[in-house]
Amino acid sequence: MNTFLFILNHGYRGIFGVILLCLCSCEKTIEVDLPAYDSKLVIEGWIEQGQHPTVILTRSSSYFDKIDSASMRDLIVTTAKVSVSDGEQEEVLTLRRREAYFPEYIYQGTSLRGRVGQTYQLTIVLQGKVYKATTTIPAPVSFDSLWFESLPNEDSIGHLWAHFSDDEAESNYYRIFTQREGIDDTQIPVYFSAMGDQYFNGQSLSFTVLRGANSLHQRTDDLYFRKGESVTVKLCTIDQAHFNYWRTLERELYASGNPLAASGNAVLSNIQGDALGIWGGYGATYQQVVWP
Amino acid sequence: MNRKAGKIRFMLLGLFFLLTFRVIAQSSHVVKGYVHDALTQEPLPGTAVGVVATGKGTTTNDVGFFTLWLPSGPNKIIFSFLGYERQIDSLWLRQDTTLHIQLKPTVITTEEIVIQGESSEERVMQTVDRVSLQRQEIESLPYLLGEADPVKAIQYLPGVQSSGEGNTGFYVRGGGLDQNLILLDKAPVYNPSHLFGFFSVFNGSMLEDAELVRGGIPAYYGGRLSSILNITTRQGNKQQMKGQGGIGLIAANLQLEIPIVKNKSGLLVSGRRTYYDVLNRTFFSQHSPLKSGLDYYFQDFNVKWDYLFSDRNLIQISAYVGDDQFWYSNYDAFTNRIGWGNRVASALWKHVFSPRLFSEASLFYSEYQMNFEAEVSEYHLHLGSGIRDIGAQYELSYTPSDHHLMTMGLHLVRHRYLPNHIQATTQDTALDFGQAATLHTQEAALFWHDEWSLSEKWKTSLGMRTSYFQHLGPFQRYLSSQPGITSDTISYHPGERITHYARWEPRVAISYQLHKQSSLKVAFDRMYQYTHMAPMSSTTLPTDVWIPSSSVILPQKSTQYSLSYQHYTPDQDYEGTLTLYYKTMDHQMEYRDGVLIGYDKGLNFDDNFLFGKGTSYGTEFFLRKNKGVWRGWLSYTLSKTIRQFDDINQGTPFPAKYDRLHDLSLLANYQANPRWKFSGVFVFSTGNTMTLPVARYVMQGNVVNEYEGRNNYRLAPYHRLDLSVTYLTSLTGRYRSRWIFSVYNTYSRLNPYYIYFENEGNIREYELDVQAKQISLFPIIPALTYQFSF
């Protein structure tokens, strides 16, 4: 599924690229005056079954504020009271430093762990303001099979394929990550990582898993995997609000700067209060696949 | 009760006409006749027919026919039409008389740059806000890559804005791209663009006349809110075989005029094609990146046949077929094909019942199709969309007196829409994007238009159009309790009426002659539109999709008030017009936030839209010089266009994408001598608006843009100078040819096309710098075109 979105996106970009190529376009750096902006709280929070809830808090910054290590540290919020409740038990998360994350400061629980089917409420109190969000952890599912296929003209590079069966009884939403052993520090979302089953409800299908770039600003060798790599594929089920967030966020990431796509689109957050971001539950399964 | 009263009023009105008719008839004789081109025998519609003694007159109709009531005794009549020698006929009237007038073309060494049609007296009193451009004046202007294009010439008129650099899309008085009804010989054209909007489908050499109507819109026009662009193609020569052609930088065209029956019937065929793909295949090696990367062509084919059966019957058949094919592959596994095109045909029968009663019946067909295909290894994606119209119009015009014209008629059209339909297959699966949802709708309109010169000074034009729309089955509407999940489905049988709308569209225009050379006009226009296109971007693209009104999408509605003052200098050398307008538009559409074609299915075709209001107001100034070696015009528009949508921008009004405070075009032609002619066009306009991010934040290692406010940024102003020089190689003889050298964007202004931001550095290493980059499309582009005729 995601491949089609990728194709469409690529196709439109392609058309535009060609227009530019044909019509001898020119590019120059300009000064842009943007309206004044009040910084907002940005919440990146998640809870996975069997894991403690984790929340990263930062602030948004005006567009042309340079980001360097000093200014970035100013944007990290370390003074909030962050708590997660499952309706019965509530835990206040504690601030820790973890190098695997970015930024490196995270709020994490120690007793509460995610359970399938459970609903979790996040409450953040910062400078007298309260931000709330709710998410659920749907039942996890797994791929029927995973395998690699090399490209037609290249033996050592190829696509990761997955075969998958969707549950017809309900609307399902998924998010997929990959992590190459010894190469990637974290689970990296694939291209168009969030997908809903609206086009393949109840079907059994095969599709390619397009490896996402470590960061979208450094797309050097993405999409493919190489012979010899061992890859952990994380398949998550997510609820609809969670899906809508990543769907619209990814859309914005891919469409921004593309004049053929509508820009300035809202990213649909599930946070109540004047904040950006997401509080999302993952029902995750991890599967290992090796390209010998 | 009401109907009865109406009937009585109608009868009284009829009686009144009859009486006036009688009164005139007692003391006068009818002088009627045809005016033709002496060489080609083409009828000359719009010829001014003036009576010297009284200073009054009329103009010939569409078949070159006129009638006058004149007193017995000596009379002098002047026939004048621009580009033709004036002819004065003296006659002694004893009885009703029929004249056959043949006007000789003036030996014009150049192409006219005058906008003509009617005499200036006629235009002073005209109630319709219309401008028409003829082929000669359009041909010698400078164009992008030298391709003459009527739509681009139209963009130089006041109140008309280009949708973007080199683009054929246009906005009229704050109306969207879809609010212009573009007619090619009476048939609508839905996506009149080639090469992603850089050229229009109207082959400049086929053109007879391009007429734009923006206000005081007669009731026989309808279906769009903002304007009617009426493109009429030429008729073939009826006396001798003729041909012409041209070779330009990107395309070549050839046209033949073949007389079928001398003086009665002519055929004109014309073709145009780009030759990039041919050159590419011939001259580039197998390993050239271009060779493997892309291929492109577009082609047009026009035919027009007309037959003057008798003095009373004229039949015209016109057809257009054109398509674009684009093929592109960016690496070995990815290929992309896009093909799109229009097929348009119309048949027209003009019939003269009597000198005072004419009819015009037309049938038309129009189809637009787009296919987008992409392949990556085992994946195949197909996206198709289109629209097809079959329709007819019947118009009856009656002139009870020389001062009064009534036109009434009926318009019928069946539409078939195919909004985006996606088919996707992989190795073993076909994804379910639903059935191709073809939509069927019908539109009908009854119209009555009445133009009456009440006195020497007052002229009114009243009209009423009753339009009706229905959406018919088969159709399935999916209902959902929460987004994306179908909870119920309503099925409609084929032919079952799903929703319908009936609307009244009153039109009023009054003109008052201040003195012989100047007039004041007011107009009120109410328009409805049942077919819509919400473009993804500001340029016209083949992927733009037309959709009909439905139970969710209400008909678009506009109300326009305009006031204009028009003045001519006594010698008609100069004319000036000042217009004020105020227009409101309801049920305007925008895509819901976050929609990308194919990405958001939506359960129903009308799910992805938001609705709101638009307001546009402004003033237009137009000054034109019609005679002499220097000719041209200055057009300037000062306007504001605002949109307000409850669900966009928190309900706060925002400027439309194409809101431009200033819009100026200056166009000049200089005929240095019979061989050399120079033309120039200068345009200046306030920059477009854009939605730019105001902030950014980090989410899962990515830098994400944050927006506040729709269209919150304005690009730098747009300005450009184009020049051209035309050289006639021969002034006598059958074979004529000329060279046109043109320069687009002479001082190579880098006009902003769009802005994007480039991040440099790595966020994970706490190093990120952002730069705004502005993309400009065309620097200076020279072009050379060779044209010939025989």
Side-chain angles (χ1 to χ4, degrees), chain A residues 23-24 26-28 30 40 44 61 63 65 67-68 102 171 175 199 203 206 208 240 247 251-252 265, chain B residues 379 428-429 432 482-483 485 594 600-601 694 696 700 705-707 756 763 766 768 772 774 776-777:
Chain A
L23 304 169
C24 26
C26 324
E27 184 183 290
K28 67 172 181 180
I30 55 157
K40 284 182 186 167
E44 181 186 343
S61 66
Y63 206 91
D65 289 353
I67 294 184
D68 54 27
F102 181 83
S171 291
R175 195 157 185 241
Y199 305 114
Q203 286 195 44
S206 301
T208 45
Q240 197 188 8
R247 178 183 71 95
R251 206 211 79 88
E252 170 54 34
N265 300 293
Chain B
Y379 288 87
D428 57 354
T429 326
D432 172 25
Q482 49 171 312
I485 300 164
D600 295 81
K601 180 182 167 192
V694 290
R696 52 191 185 153
Q700 227 169 48
N705 293 337
E706 156 81 343
Y707 299 87
Y756 76 98
I763 186 73
Y766 298 101
L768 195 70
Q774 173 186 297
S776 306
L777 280 190

Short mmCIF file of all heavy atoms in Angstrom, two decimals, chain A residues 23-24 26-28 30 40 44 61 63 65 67-68 102 171 175 199 203 206 208 240 247 251-252 265, chain B residues 379 428-429 432 482-483 485 594 600-601 694 696 700 705-707 756 763 766 768 772 774 776-777:
data_model
loop_
_atom_site.label_atom_id
_atom_site.label_comp_id
_atom_site.label_asym_id
_atom_site.label_seq_id
_atom_site.Cartn_x
_atom_site.Cartn_y
_atom_site.Cartn_z
N LEU A 23 12.20 23.57 -18.63
CA LEU A 23 11.93 24.99 -18.78
C LEU A 23 13.02 25.83 -18.13
O LEU A 23 12.76 26.93 -17.68
CB LEU A 23 10.56 25.30 -18.23
CG LEU A 23 9.47 24.44 -18.90
CD1 LEU A 23 8.16 24.56 -18.18
CD2 LEU A 23 9.29 24.79 -20.36
N CYS A 24 14.16 25.28 -18.09
CA CYS A 24 15.34 25.98 -17.61
C CYS A 24 15.02 26.88 -16.41
O CYS A 24 15.12 28.10 -16.48
CB CYS A 24 16.01 26.79 -18.71
SG CYS A 24 14.93 27.30 -20.05
N CYS A 26 15.30 28.50 -12.59
CA CYS A 26 16.41 29.03 -11.83
C CYS A 26 16.03 29.02 -10.36
O CYS A 26 14.87 29.14 -10.01
CB CYS A 26 16.70 30.47 -12.22
SG CYS A 26 16.47 30.77 -13.96
N GLU A 27 17.04 28.93 -9.54
CA GLU A 27 16.79 28.89 -8.12
C GLU A 27 17.72 29.88 -7.45
O GLU A 27 18.86 30.03 -7.83
CB GLU A 27 17.07 27.47 -7.62
CG GLU A 27 16.75 27.27 -6.17
CD GLU A 27 17.13 25.87 -5.71
OE1 GLU A 27 16.45 24.93 -6.13
OE2 GLU A 27 18.10 25.73 -4.95
N LYS A 28 17.20 30.61 -6.45
CA LYS A 28 18.08 31.48 -5.69
C LYS A 28 17.64 31.55 -4.24
O LYS A 28 16.46 31.31 -3.92
CB LYS A 28 18.16 32.87 -6.32
CG LYS A 28 16.86 33.67 -6.24
CD LYS A 28 17.08 35.10 -6.72
CE LYS A 28 15.79 35.90 -6.62
NZ LYS A 28 15.90 37.26 -7.06
N ILE A 30 16.60 33.46 -0.97
CA ILE A 30 15.99 34.77 -0.71
C ILE A 30 15.77 34.96 0.79
O ILE A 30 15.85 34.01 1.57
CB ILE A 30 14.63 34.92 -1.44
CG1 ILE A 30 13.69 33.76 -1.06
CG2 ILE A 30 14.82 35.00 -2.92
CD1 ILE A 30 12.24 34.08 -1.25
N LYS A 40 5.22 26.82 20.93
CA LYS A 40 4.24 25.88 21.51
C LYS A 40 4.95 24.64 22.06
O LYS A 40 6.05 24.30 21.61
CB LYS A 40 3.28 25.42 20.41
CG LYS A 40 2.24 26.42 20.02
CD LYS A 40 1.33 25.81 18.97
CE LYS A 40 0.36 26.85 18.44
NZ LYS A 40 -0.30 26.40 17.23
N GLU A 44 5.85 14.25 22.20
CA GLU A 44 6.02 13.00 21.47
C GLU A 44 5.95 11.90 22.53
O GLU A 44 6.93 11.67 23.25
CB GLU A 44 7.37 13.00 20.74
CG GLU A 44 7.63 11.73 19.95
CD GLU A 44 9.03 11.68 19.34
OE1 GLU A 44 9.70 12.74 19.25
OE2 GLU A 44 9.47 10.58 18.99
N SER A 61 9.97 26.23 17.44
CA SER A 61 10.71 27.49 17.38
C SER A 61 10.38 28.20 16.08
O SER A 61 9.99 27.58 15.10
CB SER A 61 12.21 27.24 17.47
OG SER A 61 12.62 26.55 16.33
N TYR A 63 10.55 29.91 12.57
CA TYR A 63 11.12 29.18 11.45
C TYR A 63 12.61 29.39 11.21
O TYR A 63 13.35 28.46 10.97
CB TYR A 63 10.36 29.46 10.16
CG TYR A 63 10.49 28.31 9.22
CD1 TYR A 63 9.58 27.27 9.24
CD2 TYR A 63 11.59 28.20 8.38
CE1 TYR A 63 9.73 26.16 8.45
CE2 TYR A 63 11.75 27.10 7.57
CZ TYR A 63 10.81 26.08 7.61
OH TYR A 63 10.99 24.99 6.83
N ASP A 65 14.88 30.51 13.31
CA ASP A 65 15.80 30.38 14.43
C ASP A 65 16.76 29.23 14.11
O ASP A 65 16.34 28.13 13.80
CB ASP A 65 15.03 30.06 15.73
CG ASP A 65 14.24 31.26 16.21
OD1 ASP A 65 14.42 32.34 15.62
OD2 ASP A 65 13.45 31.11 17.16
N ILE A 67 19.08 26.22 14.52
CA ILE A 67 19.14 25.14 15.51
C ILE A 67 20.59 24.68 15.64
O ILE A 67 21.20 24.22 14.68
CB ILE A 67 18.24 23.96 15.10
CG1 ILE A 67 16.78 24.40 15.11
CG2 ILE A 67 18.45 22.78 16.04
CD1 ILE A 67 15.79 23.30 14.82
N ASP A 68 21.15 24.88 16.82
CA ASP A 68 22.44 24.29 17.12
C ASP A 68 22.33 23.66 18.49
O ASP A 68 21.26 23.66 19.09
CB ASP A 68 23.57 25.34 17.03
CG ASP A 68 23.27 26.54 17.91
OD1 ASP A 68 22.56 26.39 18.91
OD2 ASP A 68 23.75 27.65 17.57
N PHE A 102 16.17 11.07 20.68
CA PHE A 102 16.48 12.43 20.26
C PHE A 102 15.27 13.30 20.47
O PHE A 102 14.21 12.98 19.94
CB PHE A 102 16.89 12.48 18.79
CG PHE A 102 17.22 13.88 18.39
CD1 PHE A 102 18.48 14.40 18.65
CD2 PHE A 102 16.26 14.71 17.82
CE1 PHE A 102 18.78 15.70 18.31
CE2 PHE A 102 16.56 16.02 17.49
CZ PHE A 102 17.82 16.52 17.74
N SER A 171 -12.04 -1.90 11.16
CA SER A 171 -11.06 -1.01 10.52
C SER A 171 -9.77 -1.08 11.30
O SER A 171 -9.77 -0.92 12.52
CB SER A 171 -11.58 0.42 10.56
OG SER A 171 -12.67 0.55 9.70
N ARG A 175 1.30 0.74 11.75
CA ARG A 175 2.50 1.54 11.53
C ARG A 175 3.69 0.59 11.52
O ARG A 175 3.77 -0.31 12.37
CB ARG A 175 2.64 2.60 12.63
CG ARG A 175 3.64 3.67 12.27
CD ARG A 175 3.45 4.99 12.98
NE ARG A 175 4.40 5.93 12.41
CZ ARG A 175 5.37 6.53 13.11
NH1 ARG A 175 5.45 6.35 14.41
NH2 ARG A 175 6.23 7.34 12.50
N TYR A 199 -8.18 0.39 1.86
CA TYR A 199 -8.07 -0.11 0.49
C TYR A 199 -7.87 -1.63 0.42
O TYR A 199 -7.84 -2.19 -0.64
CB TYR A 199 -6.93 0.58 -0.25
CG TYR A 199 -7.04 2.08 -0.24
CD1 TYR A 199 -6.13 2.87 0.42
CD2 TYR A 199 -8.13 2.69 -0.87
CE1 TYR A 199 -6.26 4.25 0.44
CE2 TYR A 199 -8.27 4.06 -0.85
CZ TYR A 199 -7.34 4.84 -0.19
OH TYR A 199 -7.48 6.20 -0.18
N GLN A 203 -8.26 -8.30 3.09
CA GLN A 203 -7.47 -8.96 2.06
C GLN A 203 -6.20 -9.55 2.61
O GLN A 203 -5.71 -9.16 3.66
CB GLN A 203 -7.10 -7.98 0.95
CG GLN A 203 -8.24 -7.63 0.04
CD GLN A 203 -7.72 -6.95 -1.23
OE1 GLN A 203 -6.74 -7.41 -1.80
NE2 GLN A 203 -8.38 -5.89 -1.62
N SER A 206 0.63 -9.00 -0.54
CA SER A 206 2.08 -8.83 -0.40
C SER A 206 2.41 -7.40 -0.77
O SER A 206 1.83 -6.83 -1.69
CB SER A 206 2.81 -9.75 -1.37
OG SER A 206 2.48 -11.08 -1.11
N THR A 208 5.82 -4.25 -0.64
CA THR A 208 7.21 -3.95 -0.30
C THR A 208 7.25 -2.99 0.87
O THR A 208 6.43 -2.09 0.97
CB THR A 208 7.95 -3.29 -1.48
OG1 THR A 208 7.13 -2.29 -2.02
CG2 THR A 208 8.31 -4.29 -2.54
N GLN A 240 -7.30 5.01 15.67
CA GLN A 240 -7.53 5.89 14.53
C GLN A 240 -6.92 7.28 14.70
O GLN A 240 -6.33 7.83 13.76
CB GLN A 240 -9.02 6.02 14.26
CG GLN A 240 -9.27 6.58 12.88
CD GLN A 240 -10.71 6.92 12.64
OE1 GLN A 240 -11.54 6.87 13.54
NE2 GLN A 240 -11.02 7.25 11.42
N ARG A 247 -0.32 9.86 9.66
CA ARG A 247 -0.71 10.01 8.26
C ARG A 247 -0.55 11.47 7.82
O ARG A 247 0.06 11.77 6.80
CB ARG A 247 -2.18 9.60 8.12
CG ARG A 247 -2.77 9.74 6.74
CD ARG A 247 -4.23 9.35 6.78
NE ARG A 247 -5.04 10.36 7.48
CZ ARG A 247 -5.67 11.35 6.86
NH1 ARG A 247 -5.57 11.48 5.57
NH2 ARG A 247 -6.40 12.20 7.55
N ARG A 251 2.42 13.08 5.50
CA ARG A 251 1.98 13.81 4.32
C ARG A 251 2.66 15.18 4.25
O ARG A 251 3.16 15.61 3.23
CB ARG A 251 0.46 14.00 4.41
CG ARG A 251 -0.22 14.17 3.07
CD ARG A 251 -1.41 15.03 3.23
NE ARG A 251 -0.97 16.39 3.28
CZ ARG A 251 -0.80 17.15 2.21
NH1 ARG A 251 -1.06 16.66 1.04
NH2 ARG A 251 -0.37 18.38 2.33
N GLU A 252 2.67 15.85 5.39
CA GLU A 252 3.29 17.16 5.45
C GLU A 252 4.79 17.07 5.16
O GLU A 252 5.35 17.87 4.41
CB GLU A 252 3.01 17.80 6.81
CG GLU A 252 3.78 19.07 7.12
CD GLU A 252 3.63 20.15 6.06
OE1 GLU A 252 2.55 20.25 5.45
OE2 GLU A 252 4.63 20.87 5.82
N ASN A 265 -1.02 22.23 5.42
CA ASN A 265 -2.10 21.39 5.88
C ASN A 265 -1.95 21.08 7.36
O ASN A 265 -0.86 20.89 7.87
CB ASN A 265 -2.09 20.09 5.10
CG ASN A 265 -2.27 20.38 3.64
OD1 ASN A 265 -3.32 20.83 3.23
ND2 ASN A 265 -1.21 20.19 2.87
N TYR B 379 4.74 -3.38 -9.19
CA TYR B 379 3.61 -2.52 -8.89
C TYR B 379 3.12 -1.82 -10.12
O TYR B 379 3.90 -1.32 -10.93
CB TYR B 379 4.02 -1.44 -7.89
CG TYR B 379 4.23 -1.97 -6.52
CD1 TYR B 379 5.45 -2.49 -6.15
CD2 TYR B 379 3.19 -1.95 -5.59
CE1 TYR B 379 5.65 -2.98 -4.88
CE2 TYR B 379 3.39 -2.44 -4.33
CZ TYR B 379 4.63 -2.95 -3.97
OH TYR B 379 4.80 -3.42 -2.73
N ASP B 428 0.48 -10.04 -6.37
CA ASP B 428 -0.61 -11.01 -6.24
C ASP B 428 -1.94 -10.38 -5.83
O ASP B 428 -2.92 -11.07 -5.65
CB ASP B 428 -0.23 -12.07 -5.19
CG ASP B 428 0.10 -11.44 -3.85
OD1 ASP B 428 0.15 -10.20 -3.77
OD2 ASP B 428 0.32 -12.18 -2.88
N THR B 429 -1.97 -9.05 -5.70
CA THR B 429 -3.18 -8.47 -5.15
C THR B 429 -3.62 -7.23 -5.94
O THR B 429 -2.78 -6.49 -6.43
CB THR B 429 -2.93 -7.96 -3.71
OG1 THR B 429 -2.01 -8.82 -3.10
CG2 THR B 429 -4.21 -7.88 -2.93
N ASP B 432 -8.25 -2.47 -3.25
CA ASP B 432 -9.64 -2.11 -3.44
C ASP B 432 -9.84 -0.60 -3.27
O ASP B 432 -9.87 -0.09 -2.17
CB ASP B 432 -10.48 -2.87 -2.40
CG ASP B 432 -11.91 -2.40 -2.41
OD1 ASP B 432 -12.34 -1.89 -3.46
OD2 ASP B 432 -12.57 -2.54 -1.38
N GLN B 482 -18.15 7.42 11.81
CA GLN B 482 -16.85 8.02 12.08
C GLN B 482 -16.01 7.94 10.82
O GLN B 482 -16.22 7.07 9.99
CB GLN B 482 -16.18 7.32 13.27
CG GLN B 482 -16.18 5.81 13.16
CD GLN B 482 -15.32 5.21 14.23
OE1 GLN B 482 -14.19 5.63 14.43
NE2 GLN B 482 -15.85 4.21 14.93
N PRO B 483 -15.08 8.87 10.70
CA PRO B 483 -14.35 8.98 9.44
C PRO B 483 -13.75 7.64 9.00
O PRO B 483 -13.19 6.91 9.81
CB PRO B 483 -13.25 9.98 9.76
CG PRO B 483 -13.73 10.74 10.94
CD PRO B 483 -14.64 9.85 11.69
N ILE B 485 -15.05 4.84 8.11
CA ILE B 485 -15.75 3.58 8.33
C ILE B 485 -17.18 3.70 7.81
O ILE B 485 -17.94 4.58 8.21
CB ILE B 485 -15.76 3.21 9.83
CG1 ILE B 485 -14.32 3.07 10.31
CG2 ILE B 485 -16.54 1.92 10.05
CD1 ILE B 485 -14.17 3.09 11.79
N GLY B 594 -4.96 18.55 4.19
CA GLY B 594 -4.28 17.26 4.24
C GLY B 594 -4.68 16.29 3.16
O GLY B 594 -4.32 15.13 3.21
N ASP B 600 -6.06 10.18 0.19
CA ASP B 600 -7.28 10.20 0.96
C ASP B 600 -8.41 9.76 0.07
O ASP B 600 -8.78 10.44 -0.86
CB ASP B 600 -7.55 11.63 1.44
CG ASP B 600 -6.48 12.08 2.39
OD1 ASP B 600 -5.42 12.50 1.90
OD2 ASP B 600 -6.69 11.97 3.58
N LYS B 601 -8.90 8.62 0.34
CA LYS B 601 -9.94 8.08 -0.52
C LYS B 601 -11.24 8.83 -0.28
O LYS B 601 -11.87 9.31 -1.21
CB LYS B 601 -10.08 6.61 -0.23
CG LYS B 601 -11.13 5.89 -1.03
CD LYS B 601 -11.15 4.46 -0.56
CE LYS B 601 -12.37 3.71 -1.06
NZ LYS B 601 -12.48 2.44 -0.37
N VAL B 694 5.48 29.02 9.75
CA VAL B 694 5.98 30.08 10.62
C VAL B 694 6.93 29.51 11.67
O VAL B 694 7.69 30.23 12.29
CB VAL B 694 4.84 30.81 11.34
CG1 VAL B 694 4.05 31.64 10.37
CG2 VAL B 694 3.91 29.84 12.07
N ARG B 696 8.88 25.55 13.33
CA ARG B 696 9.19 24.15 13.10
C ARG B 696 9.49 23.48 14.42
O ARG B 696 9.80 24.13 15.41
CB ARG B 696 10.34 24.01 12.12
CG ARG B 696 11.53 24.83 12.50
CD ARG B 696 12.51 24.85 11.38
NE ARG B 696 13.71 25.55 11.81
CZ ARG B 696 14.89 25.33 11.31
NH1 ARG B 696 15.06 24.44 10.36
NH2 ARG B 696 15.94 25.99 11.76
N GLN B 700 10.16 12.76 16.20
CA GLN B 700 10.79 11.49 15.85
C GLN B 700 11.98 11.70 14.91
O GLN B 700 12.13 11.03 13.91
CB GLN B 700 9.76 10.56 15.21
CG GLN B 700 9.83 9.17 15.81
CD GLN B 700 8.67 8.31 15.40
OE1 GLN B 700 8.31 8.21 14.24
NE2 GLN B 700 8.08 7.66 16.39
N ASN B 705 7.26 21.21 9.78
CA ASN B 705 6.81 22.60 9.65
C ASN B 705 5.51 22.84 10.38
O ASN B 705 4.63 21.99 10.38
CB ASN B 705 6.60 22.96 8.18
CG ASN B 705 7.89 22.96 7.41
OD1 ASN B 705 8.96 23.13 7.99
ND2 ASN B 705 7.81 22.78 6.11
N GLU B 706 5.39 24.02 10.93
CA GLU B 706 4.15 24.40 11.62
C GLU B 706 3.60 25.65 10.92
O GLU B 706 4.34 26.59 10.63
CB GLU B 706 4.49 24.66 13.10
CG GLU B 706 3.56 25.56 13.85
CD GLU B 706 2.29 24.88 14.34
OE1 GLU B 706 1.97 23.80 13.83
OE2 GLU B 706 1.63 25.45 15.21
N TYR B 707 2.31 25.63 10.62
CA TYR B 707 1.69 26.73 9.87
C TYR B 707 0.72 27.50 10.74
O TYR B 707 0.07 26.92 11.61
CB TYR B 707 0.94 26.18 8.65
CG TYR B 707 1.82 25.44 7.69
CD1 TYR B 707 2.08 24.08 7.87
CD2 TYR B 707 2.40 26.10 6.62
CE1 TYR B 707 2.90 23.40 6.99
CE2 TYR B 707 3.21 25.42 5.73
CZ TYR B 707 3.46 24.06 5.92
OH TYR B 707 4.26 23.41 5.04
N TYR B 756 10.55 27.25 -1.42
CA TYR B 756 10.63 26.10 -0.53
C TYR B 756 11.80 26.31 0.41
O TYR B 756 12.61 27.22 0.22
CB TYR B 756 10.74 24.79 -1.30
CG TYR B 756 12.09 24.52 -1.90
CD1 TYR B 756 13.01 23.68 -1.25
CD2 TYR B 756 12.46 25.09 -3.11
CE1 TYR B 756 14.24 23.43 -1.80
CE2 TYR B 756 13.69 24.84 -3.66
CZ TYR B 756 14.59 24.01 -3.00
OH TYR B 756 15.81 23.76 -3.55
N ILE B 763 19.96 17.27 12.29
CA ILE B 763 19.30 17.62 13.55
C ILE B 763 19.86 16.79 14.71
O ILE B 763 20.01 17.26 15.83
CB ILE B 763 17.77 17.47 13.40
CG1 ILE B 763 17.05 17.96 14.65
CG2 ILE B 763 17.36 16.06 13.10
CD1 ILE B 763 17.03 19.43 14.81
N TYR B 766 22.64 18.26 16.29
CA TYR B 766 22.29 19.62 16.76
C TYR B 766 22.82 20.70 15.82
O TYR B 766 23.35 21.70 16.25
CB TYR B 766 22.81 19.86 18.18
CG TYR B 766 22.20 18.93 19.18
CD1 TYR B 766 22.88 17.82 19.63
CD2 TYR B 766 20.92 19.19 19.67
CE1 TYR B 766 22.30 16.96 20.55
CE2 TYR B 766 20.34 18.33 20.57
CZ TYR B 766 21.02 17.22 21.02
OH TYR B 766 20.44 16.38 21.91
N LEU B 768 21.45 22.56 12.44
CA LEU B 768 20.49 22.64 11.35
C LEU B 768 20.30 24.10 10.98
O LEU B 768 20.07 24.94 11.82
CB LEU B 768 19.15 22.04 11.79
CG LEU B 768 18.19 21.75 10.66
CD1 LEU B 768 18.68 20.60 9.81
CD2 LEU B 768 16.81 21.41 11.20
N ALA B 772 15.60 29.81 2.70
CA ALA B 772 14.46 29.91 1.80
C ALA B 772 14.98 29.96 0.37
O ALA B 772 15.87 30.75 0.05
CB ALA B 772 13.65 31.16 2.12
N GLN B 774 13.96 30.31 -3.68
CA GLN B 774 12.90 30.71 -4.59
C GLN B 774 13.15 30.11 -5.97
O GLN B 774 14.24 30.24 -6.51
CB GLN B 774 12.86 32.22 -4.68
CG GLN B 774 11.90 32.73 -5.73
CD GLN B 774 11.99 34.22 -5.87
OE1 GLN B 774 11.71 34.97 -4.94
NE2 GLN B 774 12.39 34.67 -7.05
N SER B 776 12.33 30.06 -9.90
CA SER B 776 11.76 30.86 -10.99
C SER B 776 11.76 30.00 -12.24
O SER B 776 12.69 29.23 -12.45
CB SER B 776 12.61 32.10 -11.25
OG SER B 776 12.76 32.82 -10.06
N LEU B 777 10.74 30.13 -13.03
CA LEU B 777 10.66 29.23 -14.18
C LEU B 777 11.44 29.70 -15.39
O LEU B 777 12.34 29.02 -15.85
CB LEU B 777 9.20 29.01 -14.59
CG LEU B 777 8.43 28.01 -13.76
CD1 LEU B 777 7.10 27.73 -14.43
CD2 LEU B 777 9.19 26.71 -13.59
#
